[in-house]
Amino acid sequence: MSDTPAPEKHEFKAEVAAVLKLVTHSLYTNREIFLRELISNASDAIDKARYTALVDTSLEGQELEPSVRLSADPERGVLVIEDNGIGMTPDEARANLGTIAHSGTLAFLEQAAKAQADGKSPDVQLIGQFGVGFYSAFMVADRVDVFTRSALPGSEGVHWSSTGDGSFTIAPSDKAGRGTRIEVHLKEDAKEYLDHYRLENIVKRYSNFVMYPVQFAVKKEDQDEPEWTQLNEIGAFWTQNASELNDEDYKEFYKHVMGGFVLPGDEPLGRMHLSMDAPIQFHAVLFIPGRRPADLFNEESKHVQLFARRVMVMENCDKLLPTYLRFMRGVVDSEDLPLNVSREMLQENKNLSAIRRQLTRKTLRLLSDTAKEDRERYEKVFENFGVFLKEGLHLDAGHKDELTELLRFGSTGHEAKWVSLREYVDTMPEGQQAIYYITGRSQEELRGSPHLEALRDRGYAVIMMTDAVDEWVVQDLAEYDGKKLISVTAGDLNLDGSTGDEEKKDDSDDKDDGLAAELAPLLERATELLADRVSAVRVSRRLTSSASCLVDDAGGMGRNMERILQAAGREVSSRPRVLELNGGHSFVKAACALVQSGDDAARADAYIELLHDQAHLSEGEVPDPKGTVARIQSMLDALVEK
Ligand code: ADP
C-alpha cells in the first residue's frame, strides 16, 4: 500500500481518554478478561451480520461459516482476534472506537482504581457491563490495530490504530472480506497471552457458550497453513438434554447469561429447563437470580434473551414473561418464531403468547416448588423478589391464587421469620375467625404497638406488613381461605372477627357500655378539648396495658397509607382519627376522676392532652413536640414539688 494517504489523527473524546488512562495505568487485576470482551464483540458482530442478512440480501459474505479466530505471532508479540461478522465502515470505526456509549463508565472506573489504590480488589470483571469492553485490550497492549471492513456492499476497508495515549489514527486498509481483525501488541509483561493453553483456559472459562466456534491457529513445523482447533464447546446450551447436564453446567451457563459477573454467594436460587414440542416448539432455561439485579426498576432492565432458531433476535425481550416476573433471567429459543421479528410484531404473535403463558405457569410452579422444598432458599427468593410477586397479585388476576400462596409476612405469633397465610390460618387458635394484620414502617415499631394488646392476650397472632405495597396487597386480597383480613388499627375492633360497623352485640359489648358510662365525663371533656384533632373519643376494646391509642376510622384511608402517599410526594391531608382510652387503666381512671371533681380543670385537660400525646408517641410520631415536652415537664415538676 505504497500510495495510501497518510493516516488521519483524531483525539479521543475526553471521557475515553480518561477511561483509557485508568485502564492502562491503574487496573491490573484480572487482565485476562480483555479476551472475553473482544470475543464477545466478535460474536456480537457475527450475530449482527446474520440478523442483518435476513432483511438485506445484498449483504456480503453470506456464504461464510461464522467463526472467531485467534492466532499468536510470537515474533511480533501480537495476539490476533479475527471475526467474519458485520465489520465497520470508516465512519463507524471512528464513532464506535472513539466514544463510550454507556454513561457512568468513568465514574465506575475511577472508583475501581481508587479501591485498588487502597489495596482492595475492585470488581474489574464488571468492566464489560460498562461498555469499555474494547478498551480493556489496553490492559495488556501497548498498541492495538483494528483492520475492519463492513459487510455492506461497496464498503472500504479501514485501519484504526492507537497506543491508548489520547489519540488514534484512521487510514484506509486493503483488508479482504467482511469482518474485523484486531491485532493486540502485547506489553512485555503480557506475553503469556500468546500461549495456546493459557488462551484455551481463558476461553473455556469465559466464552464457552459463545454461539460460534472460537478457534486457535496451531502451526505445525512441516505445514505452511495453520490448523484450526476449536477452543470452546459452542452449540446452544439449551438444546441439550436436561438429564445430561449437572449443577456445574447450569452454574456456568448462569454466569454466561449474567454476562460473566457472578460474585460468590450470588448463585441462582432456582432454575428450570424446558423443552417443548407441542403445540409450540421452544427451549427455555430460566433462573431465579441469586440477588436482585440493580436495574430491576429501570425500563431498560435486562430481561430474557430471545432466540429464534438459535439466532439471537432480541437481547432483552420483555414479552416472554409478565412484567412482574421481570426478575427472571435466561434464554428462550423457538423454531416457531419469525427471525425478523420486531417488538411490535411480538406483541401480536400468537406463538409468543402461547410461550409466555407456559413460561408464566412454569415460573410460578418453580417458585412454589422452591417454597415447598427448601424454606430457607425460598425466604431468600422472597426477600429479593417478594415485592414483584405482590405487584403480580395486583396485576394478574388469573394467577391470584398461586401468587397468594407465594406471599410471606412477619407475624407477632410465630417464631419463624416469615409465614405464609396458609401457615397463619393453620395455626389460628380456636375461636379466631379472621386474619389480623397491622401495617407500618418496621416490625420493630409494630411489635410495640398498643393495638396488639388485646390480640396478644387472646393468643392471636398478627401479621406485620411493613412493605409499602402491602397496603395494596390487603386491598387486593380482602380474604383468604374464607377468612377476612382485618386491620387491627381500623374501626371498632371486635375480636370475634367482625368490625364494629356490623351491628353485633355480645357480652363484651355490655361490659363496654358499662365502662363508657363510667368514663362519660372524661369522654365528653376529651371530645370537646380535642375536637379539631380527633374524630371521636371512646372506650377501647383493644387496649389491655397501654392507656390510649389512635384508631383509623372504619372505611377511611389508614394512617400508614397516608404516610406512604405523603412520602411519595402526594398531597394527602391527615384525617383525624379516633382516640381510644383504656377504661381499666389507672391513669385514665384518675383523669376521669379529676374531670368529674371539677377541682383543677387545667390539670384535667393536661391529662387528656397527655393521653393524646402518648397515642401518637407509640406510633413514633410527635405532632406537637413543644407542647408534649411542656406537658411532660409540668407533670415531672409536680412530682418533684411533692
Ligand atoms: P460495547 O460492545 O459494550 O458496545 P465496546 O467498547 O466493546 O462496547 O465496543 C464499542 C463498539 O464498537 C461496539 O458497540 C461495536 O459497534 C463496535 N465493535 C467493537 N468490536 C467490533 C467487532 N469485532 N466488529 C464490529 N464492531 C465492533
Side-chain angles (χ1 to χ4, degrees), residues 600 603 630 632-642:
D600 187 345
R603 195 172 161 83
I632 294 175
Q633 192 59 52
S634 79
M635 294 284 284
L636 294 175
D637 290 347
L639 272 178
V640 176
E641 280 160 17
K642 263 186 191 173

Side-chain angles (χ1 to χ4, degrees), residues 526-593:
T527 308
E528 211 178 332
L529 182 68
L530 304 171
D532 51 348
R533 287 170 283 166
V534 302
S535 63
V537 183
R538 68 176 172 228
V539 177
S540 179
R541 293 164 193 257
R542 63 193 100 207
L543 296 176
T544 59
S545 53
S546 300
S548 61
C549 71
L550 283 159
V551 172
D552 300 319
D553 252 339
M557 184 194 290
R559 174 66 194 123
N560 192 49
M561 183 70 130
E562 279 177 13
R563 220 166 11 213
I564 290 165
L565 292 176
Q566 280 161 350
R570 298 269 288 275
E571 282 217 8
V572 185
S573 54
S574 293
R575 285 163 44 124
R577 288 182 287 165
V578 177
L579 177 66
E580 287 197 354
L581 302 178
N582 178 356
H585 198 283
S586 51
F587 185 75
V588 174
K589 284 182 187 159
C592 189

Side-chain angles (χ1 to χ4, degrees), residues 37-38 40-46 48 81 83 85-88 92-93 95-97 99-102 128-135 146 148 179-182:
E37 300 303 323
L38 297 185
S40 144
N41 281 349
S43 162
D44 289 350
I46 298 172
K48 258 186 230 161
I81 295 111
D83 67 68
I86 191 84
M88 285 177 266
E92 285 169 342
N96 295 340
L97 306 181
T99 47
I100 284 176
H102 306 246
Q129 231 178 11
F130 283 85
V132 269
F134 169 75
Y135 303 101
V146 180
T148 181
T180 303
R181 173 185 170 90
I182 299 183

Side-chain angles (χ1 to χ4, degrees), residues 299-317:
E299 286 290 306
E300 297 283 293
S301 154
K302 274 222 171 24
H303 297 264
V304 175
Q305 296 180 353
L306 177 64
F307 286 72
R309 291 169 234 172
R310 312 212 198 344
V311 178
M312 197 210 279
V313 292
M314 214 167 280
E315 212 193 341
N316 183 7
C317 182

Side-chain angles (χ1 to χ4, degrees), residues 43-226:
S43 162
D44 289 350
I46 298 172
D47 274 345
K48 258 186 230 161
R50 295 182 73 190
Y51 182 58
T52 311
L54 298 170
V55 286
D56 181 356
T57 48
S58 71
L59 210 68
E60 284 180 7
Q62 299 201 33
E63 70 294 347
L64 293 169
E65 280 295 320
S67 73
V68 181
R69 292 185 152 177
L70 312 183
S71 50
D73 182 344
E75 274 157 38
R76 292 167 61 221
V78 169
L79 171 68
V80 180
I81 295 111
E82 181 155 22
D83 67 68
N84 52 11
I86 191 84
M88 285 177 266
T89 63
D91 282 346
E92 285 169 342
R94 202 173 294 122
N96 295 340
L97 306 181
T99 47
I100 284 176
H102 306 246
S103 59
T105 300
L106 183 58
F108 165 76
L109 285 179
E110 275 169 349
Q111 219 180 348
K114 188 175 174 301
Q116 186 160 283
D118 294 347
K120 291 185 221 126
S121 156
D123 285 342
V124 86
Q125 288 217 27
L126 295 174
I127 281 186
Q129 231 178 11
F130 283 85
V132 269
F134 169 75
Y135 303 101
S136 67
F138 288 100
M139 289 199 284
V140 296
D142 43 31
R143 191 172 114 206
V144 177
D145 285 309
V146 180
F147 302 89
T148 181
R149 194 153 81 80
S150 166
L152 296 172
S155 298
E156 310 256 305
V158 53
H159 172 195
W160 180 101
S161 179
S162 174
T163 49
D165 58 358
S167 66
F168 62 92
T169 60
I170 291 270
S173 153
D174 56 3
K175 178 182 181 330
R178 77 177 199 193
T180 303
R181 173 185 170 90
I182 299 183
E183 295 193 357
V184 181
H185 297 258
L186 294 166
K187 291 181 186 172
E188 255 329 296
D189 64 356
K191 295 285 174 5
E192 66 196 85
Y193 301 111
L194 294 169
D195 179 69
H196 178 174
Y197 297 103
R198 180 81 173 96
L199 293 170
E200 176 158 11
N201 181 289
I202 302 173
V203 169
K204 282 219 165 18
R205 175 159 339 148
Y206 297 108
S207 313
N208 215 14
F209 296 111
V210 168
M211 290 281 292
Y212 310 105
V214 178
Q215 299 167 324
F216 184 73
V218 182
K219 219 164 167 194
K220 299 256 168 69
E221 277 183 16
D222 51 345
Q223 288 171 342
D224 287 346
E225 284 300 305

Side-chain angles (χ1 to χ4, degrees), residues 598-619:
D599 289 347
D600 187 345
R603 195 172 161 83
D605 283 356
Y607 279 21
I608 294 172
E609 289 285 358
L610 274 164
L611 284 166
H612 183 235
D613 288 336
Q614 274 188 359
H616 274 293
L617 277 170
S618 71
E619 297 182 3

